[in-house]
Amino acid sequence: MIEVKTQMPYVLQGGNYMKNEMCMEFDAISTNESLARVAVASFIAPLNPTLEEISDVKTAVSEAVTNAIIHGYENTYGYGCHGISKPAYVEVNEGKVTLRCKIERGILCVEVEDKGAGIENVGKAMEPLFTTKPQLERSGMGFAFMEAFMDDLEVESVVGVGTKVMMKKKLRCGTWLEHEGEE
Amino acid sequence: MEDFKVIDNYLMVKMPEEIDHHKAAYISEYADKYILKDTVENVVFDFEDTRFMDSSGIGIIVGRYRKISCFGGKVFAIHADRQIKRILHISGLHKILEIME
């Protein structure tokens, strides 16, 4: 079930500042990781971001959604091709991941929310190389990448209730700085 | 599998277009199968087709490095583009991995 709400962009203070919001909800299976990051990449496309900004946002969204699926709902294997030892179809835990995006004044806000297991110690989870699932070859770099590729990262989590990851990134910094110079 | 090739004692792994958690298990398992079966000492990851990678890719490389480094093996990355090089540097992987053009 995908619910997409968009608003018409409006012109503010003579600049091309666009306002746009979207919300989508999908099952917590690994197949949807690519769906989420491609959706966000298309969502920011009207702002004409650089290739590097698109890659950064895609990586950060992919990390957040993967975390929700693997750690929130423990869906380590979804549907799909998973090599030799794991069958193509395995039991999947029910759960939804909610992805909310907002663009306002050139700033992208992304929220990834799950109603899963929650994080006991957020500070520890955010340490680079810390992982609770080393047997799955998780590198423990998820939050470190989100921090490196986005400008702002906030994590709210309650054990047994869920986790919410909020990220912000200023897009098109290049042109923004150019405008500063012109004034 | 055409994505995996053994040349001398090097295992060449052709990475897919997008490397995420969904694809990672499959690459790791097949690579391990080759590492165990043949006399593979070194692993070469070919990023020629890769346009996207997240921390699952780091997991694949570190996992394979652990398996072969105790026998003196090395891991290499070839054809990595700018974004992939950035990810390898941020994660500190350039210290254990030889990045070649």
Side-chain angles (χ1 to χ4, degrees):
Chain A
M1 190 195 79
I2 302 168
E3 184 199 336
V4 182
K5 271 190 238 162
T6 41
Q7 283 174 315
M8 289 299 288
Y10 68 95
V11 177
L12 199 74
Q13 292 171 358
N16 278 323
Y17 287 115
M18 188 180 98
K19 188 175 171 288
N20 196 359
E21 266 184 50
M22 112 167 152
C23 172
M24 64 194 266
E25 198 178 67
F26 45 84
D27 273 348
I29 52 172
S30 63
T31 333
N32 286 337
E33 287 155 16
S34 61
L35 166 76
R37 62 172 180 266
V38 171
V40 179
S42 323
F43 181 72
I44 59 170
L47 288 179
N48 209 3
T50 61
L51 282 175
E52 202 172 295
E53 282 170 342
I54 298 179
S55 301
D56 288 358
V57 169
K58 275 171 88 176
T59 307
V61 170
S62 186
E63 299 293 350
V65 173
T66 307
N67 276 352
I69 293 170
I70 303 183
H71 298 286
Y73 295 112
E74 304 264 337
N75 275 337
T76 48
Y77 292 97
Y79 305 99
C81 180
H82 280 300
I84 327 143
S85 64
K86 292 287 182 292
Y89 173 78
V90 283
E91 209 173 292
V92 173
N93 295 326
E94 285 284 315
K96 304 270 188 216
V97 180
T98 313
L99 171 75
R100 284 185 211 95
C101 295
K102 192 168 91 179
I103 298 172
E104 209 169 1
R105 301 186 125 261
I107 296 170
L108 169 74
C109 306
V110 183
E111 253 182 52
V112 178
E113 193 180 353
D114 69 72
K115 301 257 178 286
I119 306 168
E120 217 166 284
N121 186 340
V122 175
K124 190 137 182 79
M126 285 175 81
E127 277 174 25
L129 302 176
F130 174 83
T131 179
T132 50
K133 292 195 168 29
Q135 74 278 15
L136 289 175
E137 298 191 338
R138 304 307 307 162
S139 55
M141 292 302 288
F143 279 125
F145 277 5
M146 285 182 237
E147 266 182 325
F149 291 134
M150 302 297 268
D151 296 334
D152 186 45
L153 171 69
E154 269 178 66
V155 183
E156 279 174 17
S157 186
V158 181
V159 174
V161 177
T163 307
K164 193 156 131 187
V165 176
M166 287 161 286
M167 299 181 278
K168 275 185 197 153
K169 187 176 177 69
K170 171 100 191 152
L171 293 171
R172 306 235 357 169
C173 274
T175 47
W176 176 60
L177 291 172
E178 276 164 34
H179 285 301
E180 292 269 295
E182 279 167 23
E183 279 162 15
Chain B
M1 287 305 292
E2 68 267 27
D3 293 347
F4 301 89
K5 231 186 260 169
V6 180
I7 302 169
D8 294 336
N9 54 5
Y10 287 83
L11 171 67
M12 308 286 289
V13 183
K14 189 139 180 75
M15 297 299 241
E17 201 178 331
E18 300 206 313
I19 307 167
D20 57 8
H21 149 242
H22 185 65
K23 292 257 172 69
Y26 152 82
I27 302 165
S28 304
E29 279 184 23
Y30 270 96
D32 283 355
K33 200 180 119 192
Y34 279 91
I35 289 171
L36 288 174
K37 193 179 73 181
D38 296 303
T39 49
V40 171
E41 267 178 45
N42 307 298
V43 183
V44 181
F45 294 100
D46 184 351
F47 290 98
E48 195 177 7
D49 297 337
T50 308
R51 295 291 159 264
F52 174 83
M53 181 167 101
D54 67 11
S55 68
S56 311
I58 306 298
I60 299 176
I61 298 169
V62 174
R64 306 292 80 68
Y65 173 76
R66 284 202 184 123
K67 290 218 162 73
I68 59 163
S69 63
C70 46
F71 304 109
K74 275 182 157 179
V75 276
F76 301 89
I78 54 170
H79 300 133
D81 69 11
R82 230 175 104 209
Q83 182 67 15
I84 289 162
K85 276 185 194 152
R86 254 179 91 206
I87 289 176
L88 296 175
H89 277 269
I90 289 173
S91 56
L93 234 66
H94 59 288
K95 287 175 187 156
I96 62 163
L97 177 89
E98 221 164 290
I99 302 169
M100 294 160 84
E101 290 309 312

